[in-house]
């Protein structure tokens, strides 16, 4: 999925270069450039979320040295539970919005391309985030109930990671 997001950003970059070159060299920008970018950026952004959740690449503030390990794990678990709730609500509201957009027949302004498929893709990507984040919650439950401290994930992946 991250590759999908990267590919979308690559297409967006190529379109931007072509639009600028067309405008500056030939006096003819790409017709519907803003329509295309509006659609591409939605998929590009949404495609990054499942991978960032799965790889725990989001920003987290941890006070590892100041707290007892079980309290630290409990706070991490709480954060992951809240993130699960947020992504569940986002996926649900995106589904509602996608249905509304599809029922209304909304299209882009210039090219008149239906926008519901893009929002359906974004909804699918955010829906995938829910089980991915649920797996993180299950992992943190196991860490919290563990009889001994579990090695810090950030340090295992990157020994130079800064943990407060």
């Amino acid at each position: 999925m991250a590759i999908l997001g990267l590919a979308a950003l690559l297409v967006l970059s190529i379109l931007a270069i072509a639009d600028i070159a067309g405008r500056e060299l030939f006096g003819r920008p790409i017709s519907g450039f803003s329509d295309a970018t509006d659609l591409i950026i939605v998929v590009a952004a949404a495609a990054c979320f499942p991978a960032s959740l799965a790889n725990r690449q989001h920003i987290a503030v941890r006070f590892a040295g100041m707290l007892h390990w079980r309290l630290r794990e409990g706070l991490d678990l709480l954060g992951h539970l809240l993130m699960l709730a947020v992504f569940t609500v986002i996926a649900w509201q995106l589904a509602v919005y996608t249905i509304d957009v599809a029922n209304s027949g909304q299209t882009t302004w210039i090219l008149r391309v239906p926008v519901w498929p893009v929002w359906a893709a974004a909804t699918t990507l955010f829906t995938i985030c829910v089980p991915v984040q649920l797996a993180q919650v299950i992992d943190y439950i196991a860490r919290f109930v563990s009889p001994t401290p579990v090695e810090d994930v950030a340090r295992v992946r990157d020994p130079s990671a800064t943990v407060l």
Side-chain angles (χ1 to χ4, degrees), residues 43-115:
V43 175
C48 295
F49 282 97
S52 70
L53 290 175
N55 294 319
R56 297 178 182 164
Q57 294 173 328
H58 47 278
I59 295 173
V61 177
R62 301 182 74 205
F63 301 99
M66 300 177 179
L67 301 175
H68 184 268
W69 71 270
R70 193 165 311 271
L71 178 58
R72 181 189 70 230
E73 296 299 338
L75 289 173
D76 284 348
L77 173 60
L78 177 63
H80 282 279
L81 282 168
L82 291 172
M83 194 178 308
L84 175 62
V86 167
F87 275 95
T88 301
V89 170
I90 290 172
W92 165 50
Q93 287 301 303
L94 275 174
V96 170
Y97 179 72
T98 301
I99 291 167
D100 288 346
V101 167
N103 289 338
S104 72
Q106 184 178 344
T107 62
T108 60
W109 284 75
I110 298 168
L111 300 176
R112 298 288 181 212
V113 174
V115 298

Side-chain angles (χ1 to χ4, degrees), residues 134-158:
L134 180 60
Q136 297 294 333
V137 167
I138 292 168
D139 182 50
Y140 272 90
I141 289 171
R143 291 171 66 93
F144 181 70
V145 299
S146 171
T148 59
V150 179
E151 180 66 31
D152 184 36
V153 174
R155 292 242 183 245
V156 171
R157 289 201 178 124
D158 181 7

